[in-house]
RNA sequence: GCGGGCGUGGCGGAACUGGUAGACGCGCCGGCCUUAGGAGCCGGUGGCUUCGGCCGUGGGGGUUCGAGUCCCUCCGCCCGCACCA
């Protein structure tokens, strides 16, 4: 065997050195004649060292980036770090080491490993979101939103994580638990900073139609925005002379509203009834965690308020209740209850013995479907859908209601009472109020503090020298805002900064970002389906409105990768099933680790990492390397493949066709299998195929494997051709060569395979039918029966229908 | 409950618009080479079989000359949301 063994480490070091020295993957912002393409993987959160999920994400992205470059596109493929955040800070509290130190140590390790993996990154554009040169622009952009009224401060009931001692955005408290640590969240009344994302609810919803995203992600965003159309209807409490508007999606059921319910948090509850029973109930609800309260199945609880409101459609006095199944944060915090046509109201009415009045004809109660109206005065007999608008019009004319739209989406709470984040560039002045820090004074740098531990207020508040500042407006003594920003703010615009990463005068130049954006292919985990992807869309739209960018959506195509599991379970320290990329890169090399990662299965699916499988890919790459050594040593370069086509030449052209199609559809596992087939065929043909065919096949294998195993691909290609594979255009198949001269004609009788015949590729229907009729196996099957029909699919098969 | 997805050998998975089910790899079996091998190479590998074939893509039904693929229905699993009026 020529040349010994495949030394992945030597080969990988060799090519990495070339790419680093020549800055091969750097790309200029200057236009050239190539189309600009932006391939982006979600930026990593640097904690410890990269894990298997990172290897998967960047293996996918790199394959796409390489493929598109070689198809003649000018590809931007940058890297950075989402460096602010809780884990680094919690680590700092434990160890006393500054979060900047541990974060930067982690970044260094990520960078080192990414280089070792041979990911084709434009390192000139690299940054961490914790660096003042980045976050000064995060602050500048925050102020632009502030000036436009899109960032504001107000007191509100907010979600509070008692463990992390900070407030959270609604999105980070899904299911009533802290997204970071899983602790049940509490509700607190606090003054906090918000982004007015709700102003963009409709556009965030509508523009989902303009992006090419996985259906389930689009659905999740739709549900999260939760737009529902209906009406606001006013119920009046005559005794107190107060109007209570409610939101309903079913104004057609108004005649069935037999009681009225308020949320325990509703500010008017005690005004309506100040009794000990009501106080006791409300207190019990408010002190119980939101997880106890949630759940449709839970038995309904509540207390009557001893008051009534007037049903505006029929003047009936209906009783008022306070009950925890009504949520203060949705609609108006009060509802009209229609027990006949709403499951929750039905359960409540049953328990409290309230009237259940059917107003829509249909199945058994509670009935939530459509039907003819009944017990609804002049609307009786009308279909409920028809009456819907008429009732709202009528209410509107009477001044008792109007059409209304409600959203689940809440404004984005961005302030955090934590240390390791981007300072909010605001000064509080007794005279001037909330004053933005002038842009010339940015960045507001994060001060060093002694104690990072949260105490219910930001640790920054302890940095007295830093907090005390003169008001930028009037010069009087004032105090800095001490909250920091949610880290999702940092990642809401990083993809824009990559485009113009070295700009010292602005976060980015519009003409530059317009040249690259929107991201042509975004790749990341589905866990960001709502949070990051919604926030980044919102910022992009706000920027578009301010004329900072010329597009509405940041990510045109989204690919969500599946998780890597081990032993069928998510990796975790407690399960002891954690493995890291180094465990495979160290012994086998990056090419093997990356190629196996993509060979494992469809990248959008979860995949179980099995150590035994790695060996198969390592063997395949080793076989390809040896084949290249062998062929390079034992044959001469005779120029392009000529003469009669051989099976190995045909296989090479077929592989080009298949791998190209597979890369377009993210079927990397299939593409790698195809290169394996090519290598198998070429190995078998080594002894007798013409040298030019063999050399072409092996060079093609190197060329096709390059997006997955770039070092070996480059090595093999160089061995055979002397050229640099990444400078070569993506190969094109010769369709005639790929097709060959003959094909396997499938012969069926009644749809069952009976014979295969070798038929000429261009044969017409008659020829194929005649050939098939000549088959002895067909004759045996027909045996006395009659061929009543013959289906011929040229190039494929002949099927005889026999009776 | 609502929404989304999935179900193919011992395992991971192939099968583009209905047209050869199980590509490729793992594992396993047999052989070669070797002092040895957790190296390398060659061959075999869905089940049953009277060796003619027959049966096979979660179950049942349908459309079709032909269904893993389309339709209906049932079962099972996974993910997301969850008292949103």
């Amino acid at each position: 065997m020529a040349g010994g063994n495949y030394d992945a480490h030597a080969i990988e070091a060799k090519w990495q050195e070339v790419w680093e020295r020549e800055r091969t993957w750097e790309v200029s912002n200057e236009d050239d004649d190539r189309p600009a393409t932006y391939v982006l993987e979600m930026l990593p959160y640097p904690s410890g060292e990269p894990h298997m999920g990172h290897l998967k994400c960047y293996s996918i992205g790199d394959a796409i980036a390489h493929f598109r470059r070689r198809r003649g596109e000018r590809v931007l493929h940058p890297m950075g770090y989402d460096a602010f955040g809780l884990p680094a800070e919690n680590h700092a509290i434990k160890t006393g080491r500054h979060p900047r130190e541990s974060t930067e140590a982690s970044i260094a390790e990520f960078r080192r490993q990414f280089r070792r993996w041979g990911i084709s990154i434009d390192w000139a554009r690299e940054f961490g979101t914790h660096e003042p040169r980045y976050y000064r622009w995060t602050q500048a952009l925050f102020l632009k939103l502030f000036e436009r009224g899109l960032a504001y401060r107000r007191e509100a009931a907010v979600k509070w994580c008692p463990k992390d001692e900070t407030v959270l955005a609604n999105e980070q408290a899904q299911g009533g638990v802290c997204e970071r640590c899983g602790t049940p969240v509490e509700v607190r009344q606090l003054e906090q900073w918000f982004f007015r994302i709700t102003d963009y609810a409709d556009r965030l919803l509508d523009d989902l139609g303009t992006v090419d995203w996985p259906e389930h992600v689009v659905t999740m965003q739709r549900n999260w925005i939760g737009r529902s159309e209906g009406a606001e209807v006013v119920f009046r409490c005559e005794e107190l002379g107060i109007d209570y508007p409610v939101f309903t999606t079913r104004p057609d059921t108004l005649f069935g509203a037999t009681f009225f319910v308020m949320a325990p948090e509703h500010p008017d509850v005690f005004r309506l009834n100040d009794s000990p029973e009501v106080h006791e109930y409300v207190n019990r609800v408010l002190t119980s965690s939101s997880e106890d309260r949630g759940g449709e199945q839970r038995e309904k609880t509540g207390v009557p308020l001893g008051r009534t409101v007037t049903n505006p459609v029929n003047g009936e006095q209906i009783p008022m209740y306070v009950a925890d199944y009504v949520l203060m944060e949705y609609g108006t915090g009060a509802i009209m209850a229609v027990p006949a046509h709403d499951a929750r109201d039905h359960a409540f009415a049953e328990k409290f013995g309230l009237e259940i009045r059917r107003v829509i004809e249909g199945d058994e109660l509670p009935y939530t479907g459509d039907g003819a109206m009944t017990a609804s005065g002049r609307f009786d007999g009308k279909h409920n859908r028809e009456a819907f608008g008429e009732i709202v019009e009528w209410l509107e004319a009477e001044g008792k209601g109007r059409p209304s739209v409600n959203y689940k989406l809440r404004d984005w709470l961005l302030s955090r009472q934590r240390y390791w984040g981007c300072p909010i560039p605001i000064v509080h002045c007794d005279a001037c109020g909330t004053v933005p820090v002038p842009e010339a004074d940015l960045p507001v740098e994060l001060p060093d503090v002694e104690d990072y531990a949260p105490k219910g207020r930001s640790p920054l508040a302890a940095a007295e020298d830093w907090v005390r500042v003169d008001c930028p407006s009037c010069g009087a003594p004032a105090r800095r805002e001490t909250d920091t920003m949610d880290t999702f703010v940092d990642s809401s615009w990083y993809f824009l900064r990559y485009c113009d990463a070295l700009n010292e005068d602005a976060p980015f130049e519009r003409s530059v970002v317009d040249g690259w954006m929107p991201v042509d292919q975004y790749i990341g985990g589905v866990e960001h389906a709502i949070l990051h992807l919604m926030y980044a869309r919102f910022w992009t739209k706000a920027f578009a409105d301010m004329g900072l960018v010329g597009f509405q959506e940041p990510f045109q195509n989204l690919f969500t990768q599946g998780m890597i599991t081990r032993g069928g379970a998510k990796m975790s320290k407690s399960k002891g099933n954690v493995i890291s990329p180094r465990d495979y890169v160290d012994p086998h090399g990056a090419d093997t680790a990356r190629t196996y990662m993509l060979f494992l299965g469809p990248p959008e699916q979860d995949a179980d990492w099995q150590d035994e499988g790695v060996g198969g890919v390592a063997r395949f790459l080793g076989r390809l390397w040896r084949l290249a050594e062998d062929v390079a040593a034992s044959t001469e370069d005779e120029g392009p493949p000529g003469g009669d086509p051989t099976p190995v030449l045909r296989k090479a052209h077929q592989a080009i066709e298949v791998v190209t199609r597979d890369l377009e559809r993210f079927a990397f596992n299939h593409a790698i299998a195809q290169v394996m087939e090519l290598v198998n065929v070429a190995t078998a043909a080594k002894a007798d195929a013409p040298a030019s065919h063999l050399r072409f096949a092996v060079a093609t294998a190197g060329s096709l494997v390059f997006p997955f195993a770039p070092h070996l691909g480059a090595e093999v290609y160089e061995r055979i051709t002397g050229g640099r594979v990444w400078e070569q255009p993506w190969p094109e198949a010769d369709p005639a060569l790929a097709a060959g001269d003959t094909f396997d004609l499938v012969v069926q009788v009644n749809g069952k395979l009976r014979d295969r015949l070798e038929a000429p590729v261009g044969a017409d229907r008659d020829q194929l039918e005649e050939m098939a009729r000549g088959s002895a196996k067909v004759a045996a099957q027909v045996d006395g029966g009659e061929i009543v029909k013959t289906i011929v699919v040229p190039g494929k098969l002949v099927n005889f229908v026999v009776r």
Side-chain angles (χ1 to χ4, degrees), chain A residues 23 86 187 202 347 389 503 559 570 603 628 773:
Chain A
R23 304 176 168 203
L86 271 187
V187 175
D202 278 325
N503 192 328
F559 184 86
K570 201 171 164 170
R773 275 180 192 273

Side-chain angles (χ1 to χ4, degrees), chain A residues 647-657 678 696-697 700 704 733:
Chain A
V648 67
L649 185 62
R650 183 164 304 129
K651 185 69 203 176
H653 282 275
Q654 286 168 352
I656 293 168
E657 281 184 345
L678 173 59
F696 178 78
T700 298
L704 295 179

Side-chain angles (χ1 to χ4, degrees), chain A residues 612-670:
Chain A
E612 309 82 65
V614 182
V617 167
R619 277 193 288 279
F620 154 63
L621 296 180
R623 267 203 314 276
L624 171 56
W625 181 83
R626 277 193 303 278
L627 178 65
E629 285 287 293
D630 228 18
V631 168
S634 64
T635 62
E636 295 295 323
D637 191 348
E638 298 168 355
D644 289 338
T646 54
V648 67
L649 185 62
R650 183 164 304 129
K651 185 69 203 176
H653 282 275
Q654 286 168 352
I656 293 168
E657 281 184 345
V658 172
V659 172
T660 304
R661 197 191 67 203
D662 287 343
L663 277 163
E664 285 165 355
R665 61 187 186 124
F666 287 72
F668 308 121
N669 56 332
H670 195 256

